[in-house]
């Protein structure tokens, strides 16, 4: 399974990852992206990683 992490300090709140995630597990919370859906729904597609301009979104395969 995959685990997605958003580094709130690096997130500039552009919303790109939220719009791009095909599993719809990311949402904006207080101006930052956050994982609000089930992490087990993450398919490891790396779309969030690629779409993030600041490198705040990372995924890890467990
Ligand atoms: S890796 Fe893909 S499915 Fe997982 S959170 Fe990022 S965009 Fe969504
Ligand atoms: S793409 Fe990166 S900077 Fe933009 S909201 Fe997502 S984590 Fe934050």
């Amino acid at each position: 399974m995959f685990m997605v992490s958003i580094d709130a300090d690096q997130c500039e709140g552009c919303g790109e990852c939220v719009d791009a995630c095909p599993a719809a597990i990311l949402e904006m919370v207080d101006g930052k992206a956050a994982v609000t859906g089930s992490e087990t729904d993450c398919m490891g597609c790396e779309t969030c990683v690629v779409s993030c301009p600041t490198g705040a979104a990372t995924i890890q395969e467990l």
Side-chain angles (χ1 to χ4, degrees), residues 13-62:
C14 69
E16 291 291 332
C17 60
V18 174
D19 293 341
C21 176
I25 61 172
L26 306 175
E27 269 186 291
M28 298 305 292
V29 177
D30 295 333
K32 305 274 187 181
V35 183
T36 56
S38 173
E39 276 191 341
T40 54
D41 287 346
C42 174
M43 36 190 130
C45 66
E46 295 193 23
T47 304
C48 55
V49 177
V50 173
S51 64
C52 180
T54 67
T58 53
I59 61 168
Q60 190 183 2
E61 189 167 5
L62 301 178

